[in-house]
């Protein structure tokens, strides 16, 4: 789907719930004529189009509601230093306001095999995981263990709700809290304690980059198969110096999109998605962290390196598919086809 084809629907804010001093949940009213388009799976996100100081901005926020009992659609937004839209929503969002959202997207969802779940959440990374947990407890027989890291006790989002869920599902849900102020940042030993090599388990990870890197590396070193790791990133790590240097040899990018083929000069350090935009193309995109797959395209010739990939499987990568928001070209010419 091209960005041109994305339709943003007006959703009214029914309630604003102040979860902590720096996080709010927005309960949204979906118009009846949009109800089918806004059906979603636990763990998915919405792309919002928000006007701040006269300019439109697009940001992705995960649902914290679960699609299992007809409850209202809800997203949760945490204040972020330098976060233009997240801070604006925390400061100004009010019941009755209208915001525009594209239909739900994302692959951070439960797999068809009903394996038990071990989840690692850091800070606002609890948002999609809270949705997954709620759905798993109601609609499946899975057992769930949650490791939830925060700076301090007063920064815990959904603290009371998690306690209530654990009390009501004591044989299936176990919640472990970690507070950096009391125990330091999460280290490998804390993660290793949650590895269960005796059972088939799916691991779900969401939170700040360093937290996710620690958890992912520890699980892989402990022998957890990579296809059992499910990651959702809210931020993008900077490209390594050697990868940026490799882009200096690239001269041009050929892009096929919407029955058009253009040849664009390449600027070192830009992703394929940025190159398409500079060339005036409305290339598809959404999360821009390598999680949703909206921006995927196929490399027809040449080569590119993905900085992050939490959306494509090994077979898709082998067939030449890349996430253009995360791909830097590594050959003189790269030919990209959006299909």
């Amino acid at each position: 789907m091209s960005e041109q084809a994305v339709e943003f629907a007006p959703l009214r804010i029914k309630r604003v719930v102040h979860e902590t001093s720096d996080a709010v949940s927005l309960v949204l009213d979906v118009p009846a004529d949009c109800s089918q388009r806004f059906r979603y799976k636990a763990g998915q996100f919405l792309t919002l189009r928000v006007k701040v100081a006269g300019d439109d901005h697009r940001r992705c926020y995960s649902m914290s509601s679960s699609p299992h009992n007809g409850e209202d659609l809800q997203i949760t937004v945490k204040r972020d230093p330098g976060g233009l839209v997240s801070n604006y929503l925390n400061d100004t969002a009010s019941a009755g306001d209208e915001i525009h959202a594209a239909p739900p997207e994302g692959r951070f969802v439960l797999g068809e095999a009903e394996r038990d779940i071990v989840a690692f959440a850091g800070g606002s990374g609890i948002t999609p995981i809270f949705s997954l947990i709620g759905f798993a407890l109601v609609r499946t027989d899975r057992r769930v263990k949650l490791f939830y890291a925060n700076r301090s006790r007063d920064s815990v989002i959904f603290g009371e709700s998690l306690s209530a869920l654990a009390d009501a599902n004591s044989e299936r849900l176990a919640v472990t809290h970690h507070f950096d102020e009391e125990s330091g940042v999460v280290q490998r030993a804390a993660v290793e304690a949650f590895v269960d090599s005796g059972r088939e388990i799916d691991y779900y990870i969401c939170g700040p980059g360093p937290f996710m890197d620690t958890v992912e590396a520890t699980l892989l070193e402990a022998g957890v198969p990579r296809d059992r790791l499910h990651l959702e990133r809210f931020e993008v790590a900077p490209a390594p110096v050697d990868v940026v240097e490799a882009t200096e040899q690239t001269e041009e990018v050929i892009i096929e999109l919407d029955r058009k083929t253009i040849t664009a000069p390449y600027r070192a350090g830009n992703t394929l998605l940025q190159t398409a935009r500079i060339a005036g193309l409305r290339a598809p995109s959404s999360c821009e962290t390598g999680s949703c797959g909206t921006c995927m395209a196929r490399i027809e010739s040449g080569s590119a390196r993905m900085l992050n990939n939490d959306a494509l499987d090994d077979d898709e990568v082998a067939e030449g598919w890349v996430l253009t928001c995360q791909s830097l070209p590594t050959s003189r010419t790269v030919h990209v086809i959006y299909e």
Side-chain angles (χ1 to χ4, degrees):
M1 181 189 305
S2 72
E3 184 174 341
Q4 194 170 21
V6 173
E7 295 184 10
F8 285 80
L11 308 183
R12 185 178 60 83
I13 299 176
K14 294 177 67 174
R15 295 193 310 279
V16 177
V17 181
H18 292 272
E19 304 287 357
T20 68
S21 61
D22 60 358
V24 296
S25 288
L26 307 182
V27 181
L28 304 174
D29 185 25
V30 179
D33 60 349
C34 296
S35 59
Q36 289 301 311
R37 292 174 55 216
F38 278 81
R39 295 182 64 180
Y40 67 99
K41 296 180 179 180
Q44 291 189 308
F45 62 84
L46 292 181
T47 300
L48 301 187
R49 187 179 67 201
V50 181
K51 188 177 292 292
V52 182
D55 294 324
D56 281 340
H57 301 272
R58 299 189 181 194
R59 296 293 188 273
C60 301
Y61 297 106
S62 295
M63 264 77 77
S64 49
S65 52
S66 293
H68 61 271
N69 59 3
E71 63 185 11
D72 290 324
L73 181 65
Q74 174 179 290
I75 61 173
T76 300
V77 182
K78 185 175 182 179
R79 185 183 298 277
D80 179 42
L84 178 66
V85 176
S86 61
N87 293 346
Y88 174 81
L89 292 174
N90 268 268
D91 290 337
T92 68
S94 300
D97 289 351
E98 186 177 88
I99 58 176
H100 290 76
E105 296 182 89
R107 300 189 181 190
F108 191 67
V109 298
L110 295 181
E112 293 183 1
E114 290 206 1
R115 291 186 281 262
D116 289 342
I117 297 169
V118 173
F120 293 88
S124 60
I126 190 62
T127 304
I129 287 176
F130 185 67
S131 177
L132 289 170
I133 290 173
F135 184 83
L137 292 175
V138 171
R139 287 297 183 90
T140 78
D141 295 323
R142 304 177 198 231
R143 288 178 291 176
V144 184
K145 289 200 303 183
L146 169 64
F147 180 94
Y148 186 16
N150 280 282
R151 294 189 309 272
S152 60
R153 294 180 182 271
D154 60 6
S155 61
V156 176
I157 303 173
F158 311 132
E160 292 183 1
S161 297
L162 284 169
S163 295
L165 278 176
D167 290 342
N169 301 272
S170 58
E171 295 184 357
R172 294 179 55 206
L173 174 62
V175 180
T176 296
H177 289 279
H178 175 99
F179 304 109
D180 293 352
E181 285 186 352
E182 301 173 13
S183 304
V185 298
V186 175
Q187 301 294 330
R188 293 182 178 229
V191 178
E192 289 169 349
F194 268 66
V195 178
D196 190 336
S197 58
R199 293 187 293 130
E200 290 193 344
I201 293 173
D202 279 328
Y203 294 84
Y204 289 81
I205 310 165
C206 187
F211 169 81
M212 293 185 64
D213 292 343
T214 297
V215 175
E216 181 183 16
T218 304
L219 294 178
L220 290 173
E221 288 181 8
V224 175
R226 183 171 287 279
D227 63 0
R228 298 290 175 81
L229 300 184
H230 309 273
L231 298 93
E232 181 82 322
R233 299 182 188 275
F234 290 163
E235 57 188 42
V236 181
V241 174
D242 64 322
V243 179
V244 175
E245 290 176 347
T247 69
E248 293 178 358
Q249 66 176 307
T250 303
E251 298 176 2
E252 62 182 20
V253 179
I254 303 169
I255 306 169
E256 292 187 38
L257 172 64
D258 291 340
R259 300 180 182 179
K260 297 179 181 178
T261 300
I262 70 161
T263 299
Y266 179 70
R267 299 179 186 176
N270 282 348
T271 64
L272 294 176
L273 176 60
Q274 289 169 326
T275 303
R277 287 174 172 168
I278 291 172
L281 295 174
R282 294 188 175 183
S285 65
S286 185
C287 73
E288 300 194 25
T289 61
S291 297
C292 72
T294 302
C295 69
M296 64 188 290
R298 182 171 54 83
I299 301 293
E300 177 69 13
S301 63
S303 60
R305 176 173 168 182
M306 282 188 285
L307 303 175
N308 179 56
N309 171 30
D310 294 328
L312 303 179
D313 60 32
D314 291 341
D315 289 340
E316 290 171 319
V317 174
E319 292 171 359
W321 292 96
V322 296
L323 303 173
T324 58
C325 74
Q326 295 294 302
S327 296
L328 295 174
T330 54
S331 57
R332 189 186 70 80
T333 299
V334 181
H335 186 176
V336 184
I337 302 176
Y338 286 91
E339 297 180 353

